[in-house]
Amino acid sequence: MTGHRSAVPLGDFRVREVIRVRFNEIDGQNIVFNGNYLVYADIGVTEYFRALGEGQPGPYFHQYGTDIRETHCEIDYHAPARLDELITIAARISRFGRTSFTLHCGIFRDEERLTDIEISYAHVDSDSGQPTPLPGTFIAEVRRFEMRTPLQD
């Protein structure tokens, strides 16, 4: 799956947020500490749902009486980011399952790919916590929004 993630150019991400690498994000090697890329991915998730009309996925899914839970994450590191550099956090939904979806965050310095992160989310009933099918309106909204059509399992 790594090759598929890395093949998506920055131009294919509709959601992009530029941030500056801060001192507290670097490690003893003067590069961004690897765990901070998950914080960057969380910014990407927030900005993605802001672009869909909500600043967080929780309020978005509450309209359906559901919520999402992170179930899996994969990170590919390609090149390091350094203190004070401007980096772009890019986000897109790359895949739908029946009761889940995957969000792909690419981290870039200009056009250079630094990191690819894929986060899988289970869609669950808010009361029972059990997996429940993704709403068709959510899938349709994302398909209209995305430049690159998400895969469907």
Side-chain angles (χ1 to χ4, degrees):
M1 194 76 167
T2 299
H4 179 70
R5 283 192 288 265
S6 299
V8 180
L10 178 59
D12 283 4
F13 290 85
R14 294 260 334 253
V15 174
R16 301 178 199 167
E17 182 74 12
V18 176
I19 66 165
R20 185 175 302 279
V21 174
R22 297 169 302 215
F23 181 77
N24 67 313
E25 297 166 347
I26 62 171
D27 61 16
Q29 296 171 305
N30 291 319
I31 60 176
V32 171
F33 177 69
N34 58 12
N36 283 320
Y37 287 96
L38 291 174
V39 175
Y40 296 159
D42 193 55
I43 292 168
V45 171
T46 299
E47 294 308 318
Y48 191 90
F49 280 92
R50 186 182 319 284
L52 291 182
E54 294 287 347
Q56 292 289 330
Y60 183 90
F61 285 102
H62 290 168
Q63 67 182 315
Y64 301 111
T66 61
D67 204 348
I68 58 173
R69 306 272 192 281
E70 186 174 327
T71 59
H72 184 78
C73 181
E74 290 184 17
I75 305 175
D76 298 317
Y77 299 99
H78 307 291
R82 291 179 165 69
L83 179 63
D84 215 33
E85 290 181 332
L86 291 176
I87 59 174
T88 301
I89 302 165
R92 60 185 278 276
I93 289 182
S94 59
R95 184 193 64 79
F96 291 115
R98 192 176 78 76
T99 62
S100 65
F101 66 92
T102 300
L103 192 130
H104 173 197
C105 283
I107 312 294
F108 297 83
R109 178 179 40 242
D110 297 318
E111 295 291 322
E112 180 186 8
R113 180 180 305 277
L114 304 178
T115 309
D116 283 294
I117 305 165
E118 276 193 346
I119 306 170
S120 297
Y121 292 94
H123 180 243
V124 298
D125 180 83
S126 293
D127 294 329
S128 69
Q130 294 301 305
T132 189
L134 286 170
T137 53
F138 170 65
I139 293 170
E141 183 175 5
V142 169
R143 285 180 185 269
R144 279 191 304 273
F145 179 75
E146 285 294 345
M147 297 171 68
R148 183 181 280 237
T149 303
L151 302 173
Q152 183 86 41
D153 289 349

